[in-house]
Amino acid sequence: MADVRSGAKAMDLSALPPLREVLTAHDLLADKRFGQHFLLDLNVTRKVARIAGPLEGCVVIEVGPGPGGLTRALLQEGAGHVIAVEKDRRFIPLLTELADAADGRLTVIEGDALKTDEAALAAAHAPGLVPKIVANLPYNVGTPLLVGWLTGRFTPASMTLMFQKEVAERIAAPAGADDYGRLSVICQALAEARVAMSLPARAFTPPPKVDSAVAALERVTAAAFGQRRKMLRSSLKVLGGEALCLKADVDPNARAEVIDVAGFLRLAAASL
Ligand code: SAM
């Protein structure tokens, strides 16, 4: 991990160029390996930041600032200090420019959030401020990060986190709900959890298509094999039951064990 810099030059955040221009100027494209799906509309990132508010007197740890849309919003919504931890070093130069405009309120850290000591960072860069975490999380490390924060020594006052819809719903699911499981119990035992907002895939650049297809496949197979003795019309009831099967050209009276992979892919696609 490297502490890249703390900005100290006063400039107007609202005078910064649009995020798409910044990405083009730095010749940056999203890299799937880092789970990159960017929020480039500053109206959207301001809404996310407001959910975490009020931010005055707070130090916000942001994981994965990427092009910095959410980072800008956190600063504009009045965060006392933002500590942004980014693993993809290609983004460090543009984040450094943002730090220059942030009047000393932004510290950019190049590093892996899974190995970051947030308590030490907050104590070093913003002692005395109330700690919060806000992030549009990379989908591949979102759940381990959340569980680490819930159970670790760093105790933020709140965490405002963007997950895939399915994960967010599992976190907040009540007992008895279909998606109630281990993650729901761990999160709700240690915090109060709620789904605060939903965004369509098109709000992200690039839109996370493949992820939702994989999530749909997980959902369909979990439901079908969770009750493998039942006919699909019944085991898949919450996902559409008989109508879903007919849409996917799969026999609603069949059981999970006889459906081939192509059949499950059709069921997943039909459930989206
Ligand atoms: N916050 C930006 C936004 O909303 O547009 C980017 C969000 S993108 C979903 C996830 C970001 O997390 C990317 O910038 C990615 O490079 C970064 N990232 C991925 N794995 C990481 C890790 N282990 N530690 C820190 N950052 C990580």
Side-chain angles (χ1 to χ4, degrees):
M1 181 185 293
D3 180 358
V4 175
R5 67 176 293 170
S6 247
K9 205 165 50 175
M11 243 175 74
D12 187 358
L13 282 169
S14 59
L16 289 167
L19 290 163
R20 278 183 204 281
E21 271 179 34
V22 176
L23 285 174
T24 308
H26 287 263
D27 203 14
L28 284 167
L29 290 174
D31 184 335
K32 263 198 249 164
R33 287 171 305 158
F34 291 106
Q36 291 174 349
H37 298 283
F38 303 132
L39 290 172
L40 301 181
D41 181 340
L42 293 169
N43 293 316
V44 171
T45 57
R46 290 288 283 260
K47 274 190 201 155
V48 177
R50 273 184 216 124
I51 292 169
L55 297 175
E56 286 80 9
C58 294
V59 50
V60 178
I61 307 282
E62 187 197 356
V63 167
L70 184 52
T71 323
R72 285 192 197 186
L74 293 166
L75 292 163
Q76 285 175 324
E77 289 298 317
H81 200 92
V82 177
I83 300 174
V85 181
E86 175 58 61
K87 189 174 177 185
D88 184 348
R89 67 173 45 173
R90 299 177 306 148
F91 287 91
I92 302 300
L94 70 79
L95 291 167
T96 303
E97 286 169 15
L98 181 53
D100 286 342
D103 202 15
R105 288 192 294 137
L106 172 60
T107 301
V108 178
I109 305 282
E110 183 190 334
D112 184 341
L114 288 167
K115 299 177 189 156
T116 295
D117 181 344
E118 295 88 358
L121 281 180
H125 297 283
L129 298 190
V130 176
K132 292 188 172 181
I133 298 179
V134 182
N136 171 16
L137 288 173
Y139 64 87
N140 41 353
V141 289
T143 310
L145 281 172
L146 171 62
V147 174
W149 291 327
L150 283 169
T151 56
R153 78 177 179 112
F154 181 58
T155 47
S158 66
M159 298 189 256
T160 305
L161 305 171
M162 180 75 69
F163 290 96
Q164 287 159 280
K165 192 164 184 246
E166 291 78 10
V167 179
E169 283 171 355
R170 260 193 278 152
I171 289 168
D178 245 32
D179 43 7
Y180 182 69
R182 276 182 306 168
L183 192 59
S184 336
V185 175
I186 292 170
C187 294
Q188 293 169 38
L190 298 164
E192 277 169 36
R194 70 185 176 100
V195 177
M197 93 189 274
S198 291
L199 286 176
R202 66 174 183 281
F204 299 86
T205 305
K209 271 191 234 120
V210 177
D211 305 340
S212 61
V214 171
L217 193 57
E218 277 173 4
R219 232 180 6 240
V220 165
T221 50
F225 287 105
Q227 298 181 295
R228 60 190 302 147
R229 296 275 145 231
K230 291 198 176 164
M231 289 189 248
L232 293 173
R233 64 184 333 142
S234 141
S235 62
L236 296 182
K237 199 163 187 171
V238 287
L239 299 172
E242 180 160 0
L244 176 78
C245 294
L246 295 177
K247 195 171 153 196
D249 198 18
V250 165
D251 179 2
N253 297 322
R255 293 187 176 125
E257 58 215 32
V258 304
I259 305 301
D260 61 10
V261 174
F264 275 112
L265 287 170
R266 290 198 304 280
L267 283 167
S271 76
L272 286 173

